[in-house]
Amino acid sequence: MKEKNGSLLKIENLNNKYSEAVLSTRAMKRLSNLFPDGHIPYIPKPLENDRIPITALQTGVFHHKCHAFSLER
């Protein structure tokens, strides 16, 4: 039998702890319809937020033998 991951186990524990329904099925459906419209994905912009110039970033792939960012395919 496959072991449950932490998230599923936590949901199951919460479901067991709070088994009494608070909202009706109709109210839950109405509430669930609000979520997709109100969802705004979080896209972090560390360069703008922390005022880091793009030129401060090192690009490329680090080569562990020569300790440089000059590795090519």
Side-chain angles (χ1 to χ4, degrees):
M1 188 169 161
K2 203 173 190 182
E3 197 172 307
K4 294 181 183 181
N5 69 27
S7 298
L8 286 176
L9 189 59
K10 187 158 188 135
I11 290 171
E12 188 175 291
N13 287 339
L14 288 171
N15 193 37
N16 291 336
K17 185 175 181 180
Y18 303 104
S19 59
E20 184 181 333
V22 177
L23 296 175
S24 68
T25 303
R26 183 176 179 195
M28 285 179 48
K29 284 183 181 180
R30 287 179 45 211
L31 185 61
S32 69
N33 288 333
L34 298 174
F35 288 115
D37 296 335
H39 176 69
I40 301 170
Y42 175 68
I43 301 171
K45 297 180 181 179
L47 297 180
E48 290 178 19
N49 296 342
D50 298 326
R51 295 189 178 126
I52 299 171
I54 192 96
T55 55
L57 298 180
Q58 179 67 53
T59 59
V61 180
F62 184 72
H63 190 271
H64 69 281
K65 289 185 180 177
C66 66
H67 301 285
F69 286 89
S70 59
L71 187 62
E72 293 182 23
R73 287 181 179 222

